[in-house]
Amino acid sequence: MAEAQIILSHSRESGIVAIASDEQYPWAHTALAESGFQRDDDGVWHLPADGTHTTVVDLVTCAKRHRASVHTSSRGFIGDAARDLARLLPGQWHASVEVYAHPAWQEDLVPWIWDSG
């Protein structure tokens, strides 16, 4: 059984995005990096849109080697929802995503932070 998870979601602004989670999340980070995903400052991984040949199939194959499983979320990317909300607030607001990859960091928030649908 995989000891790390990669959850894929779709972002209107970024295309396919990935979040690594579970106790062995560094294994998922390795799989994402080796398969060509790029990490932003918030810790969210993005499938490059620059014409490289990176694919989700490459990620799944690489993830298996690193004992990570890949799941798709039926929900849109949470960062898009946060940016939409920030645009509706009065004044200037900036939204960012905080990644709590290890379950111990999530404490009682586990059901609400991120899931795979």
Side-chain angles (χ1 to χ4, degrees), residues 1 7 10-11 22 30-31 38-39 52 63 65 71 76 81 92 97-98 102 107-109:
M1 177 183 278
I7 301 170
H10 181 266
S11 168
D22 236 330
T30 300
Q38 298 169 347
R39 189 175 183 190
T52 62
R65 285 196 312 269
H71 306 272
Q92 294 286 343
V97 174
E98 290 187 23
H102 195 285
E107 298 179 5
D108 295 333
L109 302 174

Side-chain angles (χ1 to χ4, degrees), residues 88-112:
L88 296 173
L89 296 171
Q92 294 286 343
W93 290 86
H94 171 76
S96 62
V97 174
E98 290 187 23
V99 177
Y100 297 95
H102 195 285
W105 302 338
Q106 299 169 8
E107 298 179 5
D108 295 333
L109 302 174
V110 171
W112 298 285

